[in-house]
Amino acid sequence: MFSTGIGIPVRQSADLRTWRKAQPGKVFQEMPDFAHAIVPNQVDIWAPDISYFNGRYHLYYSVSTFGSNRSVIGLTTNSTLDAENEAFNWSDEGIVIESTSNNNYNCIDPNLILDTSGTPWLAFGSFWSGIKLRRLDYNTGKLALGDSKTYALAQRFVNNGAIEGAYIFHKGDNYYLFTSFDSCCQGRDSTYNVRVGRSKVITGPYIDRDGVAMLKGGGTQVTFYSERWRGPGHNSLIEDGGVDYLVYHAYDAQNAGIPTLQIDRLNWGDNGWPWTDPKW
């Protein structure tokens, strides 16, 4: 598990329940030079996303500051995640995409998905005009030269356009776009919650359970706050032993609002819409 923080902290588990720090503990010993040049005042690296294709693990990550879309998404790769393997080495591949104040989108919160034909795509975005999608090159993991289009997937028009944390998951005949609405990072006052829509094609349009397009503010709610766990959001998914799990964080109101890892079993109804079972 890779998480936001200095150098991208790394943890590992054998059962998804008990976690410990992995060696060497973090991916980077210092901020990559290109990211430091673009966002010089940031020390944390945000929202890493791990995937495996073309014989290597691809770790996409973002660097930005709160309230700014002067942001950058980078890539580092490795042939193994076993630090005891002599081949273990994170190779920084540099910049993938960046945004400036001239753009109407924000290049943070990357998520890599391979479509059913094996083509890689990168979803990203936060606030501004919402969630975007770019096609990638399979060999480089960078933006594809033959398709320069930025596809719009989801947008909000209330709460300052608060939408981010995209994660696309293919199940059955559909692609499911999970996003987080509202506010993270406010401790007990966080209002984050996960929403979802689906589409037959990866580029959309994504429609929620009520038939509302996510580009028109739609999204069926998946996670809900409780008296203890506030702002459950920014999810990813993992399939293990034929079971799908929703991985996210929530803020512990009984422990100073500290963000805490949550893993829920993700169930799929006969109608193909997901719901969570936190008591697995």
Side-chain angles (χ1 to χ4, degrees), residues 30-38 92:
E30 57 186 26
M31 182 73 72
D33 289 341
F34 77 90
H36 178 72
I38 293 172
D92 189 31

Side-chain angles (χ1 to χ4, degrees), residues 89-104:
N89 179 61
W90 287 107
S91 177
D92 189 31
E93 309 290 349
I95 188 171
V96 177
I97 189 172
E98 63 180 308
S99 56
T100 73
S101 59
N102 293 323
N103 297 120
N104 71 342

Side-chain angles (χ1 to χ4, degrees), residues 21-32:
K21 290 184 178 180
Q23 297 300 320
K26 57 185 179 180
V27 174
F28 294 113
Q29 297 306 307
E30 57 186 26
M31 182 73 72

Side-chain angles (χ1 to χ4, degrees), residues 209-237:
R209 188 172 184 172
D210 295 325
V212 180
M214 295 189 77
L215 277 172
K216 295 184 178 180
T220 299
Q221 192 165 351
V222 178
T223 64
F224 299 83
Y225 86 97
S226 68
E227 284 303 308
R228 179 176 185 182
W229 300 109
R230 310 293 178 80
H234 204 140
N235 75 285
S236 57
L237 276 81

Side-chain angles (χ1 to χ4, degrees), residues 128 130 154-163 180-182 214-215 217:
W128 276 266
Q155 186 174 2
R156 292 190 75 203
F157 305 92
V158 298
N159 291 359
N160 298 312
I163 183 172
S180 288
F181 280 15
D182 300 329
M214 295 189 77
L215 277 172

